[in-house]
Short mmCIF file of all heavy atoms in Angstrom, two decimals:
data_model
loop_
_atom_site.label_atom_id
_atom_site.label_comp_id
_atom_site.label_asym_id
_atom_site.label_seq_id
_atom_site.Cartn_x
_atom_site.Cartn_y
_atom_site.Cartn_z
N ALA W 643 -17.21 -12.46 89.30
CA ALA W 643 -15.82 -12.63 89.74
C ALA W 643 -15.57 -14.04 90.25
O ALA W 643 -16.49 -14.75 90.67
CB ALA W 643 -15.47 -11.62 90.82
N ASN W 644 -14.31 -14.41 90.24
CA ASN W 644 -13.83 -15.69 90.74
C ASN W 644 -13.82 -15.70 92.27
O ASN W 644 -13.63 -14.66 92.90
CB ASN W 644 -12.41 -15.91 90.19
CG ASN W 644 -11.82 -17.25 90.52
OD1 ASN W 644 -11.61 -17.58 91.68
ND2 ASN W 644 -11.52 -18.02 89.50
N PHE W 645 -13.97 -16.90 92.86
CA PHE W 645 -14.00 -17.01 94.32
C PHE W 645 -12.67 -16.56 94.94
O PHE W 645 -12.63 -16.13 96.09
CB PHE W 645 -14.30 -18.45 94.75
CG PHE W 645 -13.22 -19.45 94.41
CD1 PHE W 645 -12.18 -19.70 95.29
CD2 PHE W 645 -13.23 -20.14 93.21
CE1 PHE W 645 -11.17 -20.60 94.98
CE2 PHE W 645 -12.24 -21.05 92.89
CZ PHE W 645 -11.20 -21.28 93.78
N ALA W 646 -11.58 -16.67 94.18
CA ALA W 646 -10.27 -16.30 94.72
C ALA W 646 -9.99 -14.81 94.62
O ALA W 646 -8.99 -14.33 95.16
CB ALA W 646 -9.17 -17.09 94.00
N SER W 647 -10.84 -14.08 93.92
CA SER W 647 -10.64 -12.64 93.76
C SER W 647 -11.29 -11.90 94.93
O SER W 647 -12.32 -12.33 95.45
CB SER W 647 -11.28 -12.15 92.45
OG SER W 647 -10.73 -12.83 91.35
N PRO W 648 -10.73 -10.77 95.31
CA PRO W 648 -11.42 -9.92 96.30
C PRO W 648 -12.76 -9.45 95.76
O PRO W 648 -13.00 -9.46 94.55
CB PRO W 648 -10.44 -8.76 96.50
CG PRO W 648 -9.12 -9.27 96.04
CD PRO W 648 -9.41 -10.23 94.93
N ARG W 649 -13.60 -9.02 96.66
CA ARG W 649 -14.95 -8.59 96.27
C ARG W 649 -14.85 -7.40 95.31
O ARG W 649 -14.05 -6.49 95.50
CB ARG W 649 -15.77 -8.22 97.51
CG ARG W 649 -15.98 -9.37 98.47
CD ARG W 649 -16.97 -10.39 97.91
NE ARG W 649 -18.30 -9.85 97.90
CZ ARG W 649 -19.14 -9.92 98.95
NH1 ARG W 649 -18.77 -10.49 100.09
NH2 ARG W 649 -20.36 -9.42 98.86
N GLN W 650 -15.70 -7.41 94.28
CA GLN W 650 -15.68 -6.33 93.30
C GLN W 650 -17.08 -5.88 92.91
O GLN W 650 -17.29 -5.35 91.82
CB GLN W 650 -14.90 -6.76 92.05
CG GLN W 650 -15.54 -7.91 91.27
CD GLN W 650 -14.71 -8.30 90.05
OE1 GLN W 650 -13.50 -8.43 90.13
NE2 GLN W 650 -15.37 -8.50 88.91
N GLU W 651 -18.07 -6.07 93.80
CA GLU W 651 -19.38 -5.49 93.51
C GLU W 651 -19.20 -3.98 93.32
O GLU W 651 -18.30 -3.37 93.87
CB GLU W 651 -20.36 -5.79 94.64
CG GLU W 651 -20.79 -7.24 94.74
CD GLU W 651 -19.80 -8.13 95.46
OE1 GLU W 651 -18.85 -7.59 96.06
OE2 GLU W 651 -19.97 -9.36 95.45
N LEU W 652 -20.08 -3.40 92.57
CA LEU W 652 -19.87 -2.03 92.13
C LEU W 652 -19.90 -1.01 93.26
O LEU W 652 -19.42 0.11 93.09
CB LEU W 652 -20.93 -1.67 91.07
CG LEU W 652 -20.94 -2.56 89.83
CD1 LEU W 652 -22.02 -2.10 88.86
CD2 LEU W 652 -19.58 -2.57 89.14
N TYR W 653 -20.44 -1.39 94.41
CA TYR W 653 -20.49 -0.44 95.52
C TYR W 653 -19.25 -0.53 96.42
O TYR W 653 -19.11 0.25 97.37
CB TYR W 653 -21.75 -0.68 96.38
CG TYR W 653 -21.90 -2.10 96.86
CD1 TYR W 653 -21.18 -2.59 97.94
CD2 TYR W 653 -22.79 -2.97 96.23
CE1 TYR W 653 -21.32 -3.90 98.38
CE2 TYR W 653 -22.95 -4.27 96.66
CZ TYR W 653 -22.21 -4.73 97.73
OH TYR W 653 -22.36 -6.03 98.15
N VAL W 654 -18.33 -1.45 96.12
CA VAL W 654 -17.15 -1.63 96.98
C VAL W 654 -16.29 -0.37 96.99
O VAL W 654 -15.76 0.03 98.02
CB VAL W 654 -16.35 -2.86 96.52
CG1 VAL W 654 -14.99 -2.91 97.23
CG2 VAL W 654 -17.14 -4.14 96.78
N TRP W 655 -16.12 0.25 95.81
CA TRP W 655 -15.38 1.51 95.70
C TRP W 655 -16.39 2.64 95.43
O TRP W 655 -17.25 2.52 94.57
CB TRP W 655 -14.41 1.49 94.53
CG TRP W 655 -13.31 0.48 94.59
CD1 TRP W 655 -12.17 0.54 95.32
CD2 TRP W 655 -13.22 -0.74 93.83
NE1 TRP W 655 -11.37 -0.54 95.07
CE2 TRP W 655 -11.99 -1.35 94.16
CE3 TRP W 655 -14.06 -1.36 92.89
CZ2 TRP W 655 -11.58 -2.55 93.59
CZ3 TRP W 655 -13.65 -2.56 92.33
CH2 TRP W 655 -12.43 -3.14 92.69
N GLU W 656 -16.25 3.73 96.14
CA GLU W 656 -17.19 4.84 95.94
C GLU W 656 -17.06 5.42 94.54
O GLU W 656 -18.04 5.82 93.92
CB GLU W 656 -16.99 5.93 96.99
CG GLU W 656 -17.92 7.14 96.82
CD GLU W 656 -19.39 6.77 96.61
OE1 GLU W 656 -19.88 5.85 97.29
OE2 GLU W 656 -20.05 7.38 95.73
N SER W 657 -15.82 5.48 94.02
CA SER W 657 -15.67 6.03 92.68
C SER W 657 -16.35 5.13 91.64
O SER W 657 -16.94 5.62 90.67
CB SER W 657 -14.18 6.20 92.33
OG SER W 657 -13.55 4.96 92.10
N VAL W 658 -16.27 3.81 91.84
CA VAL W 658 -16.93 2.88 90.92
C VAL W 658 -18.44 2.99 91.06
O VAL W 658 -19.18 2.94 90.07
CB VAL W 658 -16.45 1.44 91.17
CG1 VAL W 658 -17.20 0.45 90.27
CG2 VAL W 658 -14.95 1.32 90.94
N ALA W 659 -18.90 3.16 92.28
CA ALA W 659 -20.34 3.34 92.50
C ALA W 659 -20.84 4.57 91.76
O ALA W 659 -21.93 4.55 91.16
CB ALA W 659 -20.63 3.46 93.99
N LYS W 660 -20.04 5.64 91.76
CA LYS W 660 -20.43 6.85 91.04
C LYS W 660 -20.50 6.59 89.54
O LYS W 660 -21.46 7.00 88.87
CB LYS W 660 -19.44 7.97 91.35
CG LYS W 660 -19.78 9.30 90.69
CD LYS W 660 -18.78 10.39 91.07
CE LYS W 660 -19.12 11.71 90.39
NZ LYS W 660 -18.13 12.77 90.75
N SER W 661 -19.50 5.90 89.00
CA SER W 661 -19.51 5.56 87.58
C SER W 661 -20.69 4.67 87.25
O SER W 661 -21.32 4.81 86.19
CB SER W 661 -18.21 4.85 87.19
OG SER W 661 -17.11 5.73 87.26
N ALA W 662 -21.00 3.74 88.15
CA ALA W 662 -22.12 2.82 87.92
C ALA W 662 -23.45 3.57 87.92
O ALA W 662 -24.31 3.31 87.07
CB ALA W 662 -22.13 1.72 88.99
N ARG W 663 -23.62 4.48 88.87
CA ARG W 663 -24.88 5.24 88.89
C ARG W 663 -25.04 6.05 87.61
O ARG W 663 -26.14 6.18 87.07
CB ARG W 663 -24.91 6.15 90.12
CG ARG W 663 -25.19 5.43 91.41
CD ARG W 663 -25.43 6.40 92.56
NE ARG W 663 -24.22 7.10 92.94
CZ ARG W 663 -23.36 6.70 93.89
NH1 ARG W 663 -23.61 5.57 94.54
NH2 ARG W 663 -22.29 7.40 94.17
N ASN W 664 -23.94 6.59 87.11
CA ASN W 664 -23.99 7.40 85.90
C ASN W 664 -24.28 6.54 84.68
O ASN W 664 -25.23 6.79 83.92
CB ASN W 664 -22.65 8.13 85.73
CG ASN W 664 -22.68 9.11 84.58
OD1 ASN W 664 -23.60 9.90 84.44
ND2 ASN W 664 -21.65 9.07 83.75
N ALA W 665 -23.47 5.50 84.46
CA ALA W 665 -23.60 4.69 83.25
C ALA W 665 -24.85 3.83 83.27
O ALA W 665 -25.61 3.76 82.30
CB ALA W 665 -22.35 3.83 83.07
N LEU W 666 -25.09 3.13 84.40
CA LEU W 666 -26.30 2.31 84.48
C LEU W 666 -27.54 3.18 84.54
O LEU W 666 -28.62 2.76 84.09
CB LEU W 666 -26.23 1.39 85.70
CG LEU W 666 -25.23 0.24 85.60
CD1 LEU W 666 -25.14 -0.50 86.93
CD2 LEU W 666 -25.63 -0.73 84.49
N GLY W 667 -27.41 4.39 85.08
CA GLY W 667 -28.55 5.30 85.04
C GLY W 667 -28.97 5.57 83.61
O GLY W 667 -30.17 5.59 83.28
N MET W 668 -27.99 5.78 82.72
CA MET W 668 -28.32 5.97 81.31
C MET W 668 -28.85 4.68 80.70
O MET W 668 -29.80 4.72 79.89
CB MET W 668 -27.09 6.47 80.54
CG MET W 668 -27.32 6.68 79.05
SD MET W 668 -28.67 7.84 78.67
CE MET W 668 -27.90 9.38 79.18
N ARG W 669 -28.27 3.54 81.05
CA ARG W 669 -28.77 2.27 80.51
C ARG W 669 -30.25 2.10 80.84
O ARG W 669 -31.05 1.71 79.99
CB ARG W 669 -27.98 1.09 81.07
CG ARG W 669 -28.50 -0.27 80.55
CD ARG W 669 -27.86 -1.45 81.25
NE ARG W 669 -28.34 -2.70 80.69
CZ ARG W 669 -27.79 -3.36 79.68
NH1 ARG W 669 -26.74 -2.87 79.08
NH2 ARG W 669 -28.30 -4.51 79.26
N TYR W 670 -30.61 2.38 82.08
CA TYR W 670 -32.00 2.17 82.49
C TYR W 670 -32.93 3.19 81.83
O TYR W 670 -34.10 2.91 81.63
CB TYR W 670 -32.11 2.20 84.02
CG TYR W 670 -31.84 0.83 84.63
CD1 TYR W 670 -30.61 0.20 84.48
CD2 TYR W 670 -32.83 0.15 85.33
CE1 TYR W 670 -30.36 -1.05 85.02
CE2 TYR W 670 -32.59 -1.11 85.88
CZ TYR W 670 -31.35 -1.70 85.71
OH TYR W 670 -31.12 -2.94 86.23
N ARG W 671 -32.41 4.37 81.48
CA ARG W 671 -33.22 5.30 80.69
C ARG W 671 -33.39 4.79 79.26
O ARG W 671 -34.40 5.06 78.61
CB ARG W 671 -32.56 6.68 80.68
CG ARG W 671 -32.57 7.41 82.03
CD ARG W 671 -31.98 8.79 81.89
NE ARG W 671 -32.78 9.61 80.99
CZ ARG W 671 -32.33 10.69 80.36
NH1 ARG W 671 -31.06 11.05 80.50
NH2 ARG W 671 -33.14 11.38 79.56
N LEU W 672 -32.39 4.05 78.78
CA LEU W 672 -32.42 3.51 77.42
C LEU W 672 -33.10 2.15 77.31
O LEU W 672 -33.14 1.57 76.23
CB LEU W 672 -30.99 3.40 76.87
CG LEU W 672 -30.31 4.69 76.44
CD1 LEU W 672 -28.83 4.42 76.14
CD2 LEU W 672 -30.99 5.28 75.21
N LEU W 673 -33.61 1.61 78.40
CA LEU W 673 -34.21 0.28 78.36
C LEU W 673 -35.28 0.12 77.28
O LEU W 673 -35.33 -0.92 76.61
CB LEU W 673 -34.77 -0.11 79.74
CG LEU W 673 -33.74 -0.53 80.79
CD1 LEU W 673 -34.43 -0.80 82.13
CD2 LEU W 673 -32.95 -1.75 80.34
N PRO W 674 -36.17 1.11 77.07
CA PRO W 674 -37.15 0.91 75.99
C PRO W 674 -36.49 0.77 74.62
O PRO W 674 -36.98 0.03 73.76
CB PRO W 674 -38.04 2.15 76.07
CG PRO W 674 -37.27 3.15 76.86
CD PRO W 674 -36.42 2.36 77.81
N TYR W 675 -35.39 1.48 74.41
CA TYR W 675 -34.65 1.37 73.15
C TYR W 675 -34.00 -0.02 73.04
O TYR W 675 -34.11 -0.68 72.00
CB TYR W 675 -33.59 2.46 73.09
CG TYR W 675 -32.72 2.45 71.86
CD1 TYR W 675 -33.25 2.71 70.60
CD2 TYR W 675 -31.34 2.21 71.96
CE1 TYR W 675 -32.43 2.72 69.46
CE2 TYR W 675 -30.53 2.22 70.83
CZ TYR W 675 -31.08 2.47 69.59
OH TYR W 675 -30.27 2.47 68.47
N LEU W 676 -33.35 -0.47 74.12
CA LEU W 676 -32.70 -1.78 74.09
C LEU W 676 -33.73 -2.89 73.90
O LEU W 676 -33.49 -3.86 73.17
CB LEU W 676 -31.93 -2.01 75.40
CG LEU W 676 -30.71 -1.12 75.62
CD1 LEU W 676 -30.14 -1.34 77.01
CD2 LEU W 676 -29.65 -1.39 74.56
#
Side-chain angles (χ1 to χ4, degrees):
N644 185 297
F645 67 89
S647 302
R649 298 288 289 273
Q650 64 181 45
E651 289 82 10
L652 301 180
Y653 53 79
V654 170
W655 297 282
E656 179 48 41
S657 73
V658 177
K660 182 178 179 181
S661 292
R663 284 189 291 268
N664 186 47
L666 289 173
M668 179 57 71
R669 179 188 182 90
Y670 274 62
R671 292 183 63 201
L672 284 171
L673 283 177
Y675 178 66
L676 293 173

